[in-house]
Amino acid sequence: MNPFNARCLARSLPAMVGLSLWCGAIQATPGDNAVDRPGNYPDRPVTLVVPYPPGGSTDMAARIIAAELSKNLDQSVIVENRSGGGGLVGVNSVVRSQPDGYTLAVGVSGVLTIWPALGREMPFDPLRDLAPITMIVDNPLVIAANNDFPPDTMAELRTYAEANPGPLSFGSGGQGTAMHLAGARLANMTDIDLSHVPYRGTNPALQDVLAGHIPLAIIDAATVREFVAQGQVKGLATTGAERSPTMPELPTVAESGVEGFSVTSWFGVLAPKDTPEDIVRFLNQQITEILERPEIQERFLSAGLEPSTNTPEVFRELITSETARYRDVIRDNHITIE
């Protein structure tokens, strides 16, 4: 066993559940053709459902977009928090609403791809029952290490793992999250023997890295970046295809020698199936225009969120391809959720 792990594992605090996601980045830019407003839409307030409590990054991004959409549309866009079921309750309420463009959902990658890949029982099928509008955030994860853990880089981590055979514990925000599957993917693509320690959210995992109970964690950038900036934990690498503008000093895992490795966590806006295509495209255009504004991008980046948009077609293909890719990772690593 690795010497650092010998004292860490006894004090680790395993926990359950959470959700996020590993995903290969698919980027696209909506077409240049302007989309006309569909008739008098909207002629009453629009509801944007966030399937989590107020205060999180998903809620924050939704509120920025809703405020700007309200100005663009000359109509109120109201954020409604409907939490429960790890995000299922809120999204399902939108699935069951009228497909008229007046009730929209913010869906996270875990609910839309990882849960179907795990074979979880769900009240809806993301591809069958939802009309993707656009992604709004596409964030990398960060491989973070306790300051007393010897490796400072991914190359040093691989060297350390080779010199100290045995599993290295890494924490995540929960079993079956993007963070968990990113670690499984990293172990598959390298010679690092990683042992997963699930927590009830990213903050408990980060706290155990800070305390030295576990040597490593894979955590979203928004949660860990200030701790890295203040020198409280070490950032070894980020997991996107390119360096993160929120943590540009950190190399990616791919440029650290693990070619082809790319893992991000995203969320986007969706409507119920059968929502008229002209409304879907109009909303895509409006949200894309908002997220292209420099002042809006700065607000997102200052919160550790990377704004990103795509077309409805590319967003649907992302959901399709990531679900298939996760099935492979889950199968290869014998991952189950109790």
Side-chain angles (χ1 to χ4, degrees), residues 268-323:
V269 178
L270 306 97
K273 72 172 182 179
D274 299 328
T275 298
E277 184 177 348
D278 57 351
I279 292 179
V280 169
R281 295 200 177 279
F282 177 68
L283 289 169
N284 175 279
Q285 176 183 266
Q286 295 297 313
I287 296 170
T288 297
E289 186 275 326
I290 289 167
L291 287 173
E292 286 176 347
R293 298 175 193 167
E295 68 274 17
I296 299 299
Q297 292 185 3
E298 178 55 34
R299 289 179 68 183
F300 272 65
L301 292 171
S302 66
L305 302 173
E306 298 186 24
S308 181
T309 61
N310 52 14
T311 64
E313 292 82 5
V314 171
F315 195 9
R316 177 173 291 278
E317 174 54 31
L318 174 64
I319 296 169
T320 302
S321 63
E322 288 306 309
T323 302

Side-chain angles (χ1 to χ4, degrees), residues 5 22 30-31 40 58 76 78 103 110 132 137 161 167 173 175 182 195 197 246 249 252 263 295 298 305 309 319 323:
N5 259 16
W22 171 79
N40 62 351
T58 311
S76 295
I78 302 165
T103 308
V137 165
Q175 185 83 1
S195 175
V197 182
T246 67
E249 73 281 5
T252 66
V263 179
E295 68 274 17
E298 178 55 34
L305 302 173
T309 61
I319 296 169
T323 302

Side-chain angles (χ1 to χ4, degrees), residues 157-168:
L157 177 61
R158 297 180 75 172
T159 300
Y160 179 89
E162 183 178 354
N164 298 277
L168 275 171

Side-chain angles (χ1 to χ4, degrees), residues 238-272:
T238 55
T239 64
E242 300 176 351
R243 290 200 181 202
S244 169
T246 67
M247 304 180 75
E249 73 281 5
L250 293 186
T252 66
V253 173
E255 69 179 295
S256 300
V258 189
E259 186 176 350
F261 188 93
S262 178
V263 179
T264 62
S265 175
W266 49 261
F267 51 89
V269 178
L270 306 97

